[in-house]
Amino acid sequence: MADVKTLTQFSVFLVNKPGVLAQVTGALAAEKINLLAMTLVDSQEHGVLRMVTENVATAREVLQKLNLPMTETEVLCVDLPNRPGALADVATLLGQNHININYAYVTSGAPGGRTTGVFKVADQPKALHVLKKPGGKHKEPDLHRGRR
């Protein structure tokens, strides 16, 4: 179906104070670590920064030096076309194969370009197999849907 790979995601727990996100992203930038995707979710006490980077080993070293609580998780990264329905196609295929999506986030892409979907799923080996399978078990999307 799509170009899909397993990558490491860092979940970094941040205190909700001005400048904390800048500290983390600045430290990564100083080491020339490119972020492939990220999301930040907050609660009253803290935020959780989830991100996938190009250089896992260096990113790990930088984050450890900042002495912030963090975890590492394997996630699926799916290369998607930047068009309406691309995310729905992946979610439908996983659902049809009884694979639960625990959470997901995507990068934004340039019009006509590509975007990356990050998926934390309940059964990663099965999801990887399903998403790499040519044609998948789903109906191809109607690219003319909604046009007259």
Side-chain angles (χ1 to χ4, degrees):
M1 174 192 177
D3 181 26
V4 58
K5 56 190 161 220
T6 301
L7 294 176
T8 299
Q9 170 194 267
F10 294 100
S11 295
V12 185
F13 301 89
L14 307 176
V15 176
N16 273 346
K17 291 192 324 190
V20 176
L21 179 61
Q23 177 189 16
V24 174
T25 55
L28 293 168
E31 294 297 323
K32 299 191 181 350
I33 298 169
N34 191 38
L35 297 178
L36 299 176
M38 68 157 277
T39 185
L40 179 62
V41 180
D42 75 312
S43 70
Q44 286 291 78
E45 300 81 34
H46 67 276
V48 180
L49 171 65
R50 288 185 171 132
M51 62 185 160
V52 178
T53 65
E54 282 185 345
N55 186 326
V56 174
T58 306
R60 182 181 298 119
E61 289 175 19
V62 168
L63 294 170
Q64 287 173 341
K65 285 179 187 174
L66 292 173
N67 201 30
L68 295 169
M70 74 169 182
T71 61
E72 294 181 30
T73 307
E74 296 302 308
V75 292
L76 297 180
C77 289
V78 183
D79 182 42
L80 301 169
N82 187 19
R83 62 155 177 79
L87 181 59
D89 293 342
V90 173
T92 298
L93 183 57
L94 292 173
Q96 288 172 344
N97 285 275
H98 309 288
I99 300 167
N100 188 50
I101 300 170
N102 297 335
Y103 59 82
Y105 53 99
V106 297
T107 61
S108 61
R114 307 296 289 176
T115 186
T116 300
V118 179
F119 298 86
K120 176 65 175 131
V121 296
D123 188 340
Q124 190 157 320
K126 183 177 178 182
L128 198 56
H129 173 75
V130 165
L131 292 174
K132 283 191 170 193
K133 188 184 209 178
K137 292 183 182 177
H138 72 296
K139 180 182 168 197
E140 287 299 318
D142 179 4
L143 298 179
H144 302 289
R145 181 179 357 162
R147 293 185 185 168
R148 296 186 188 241

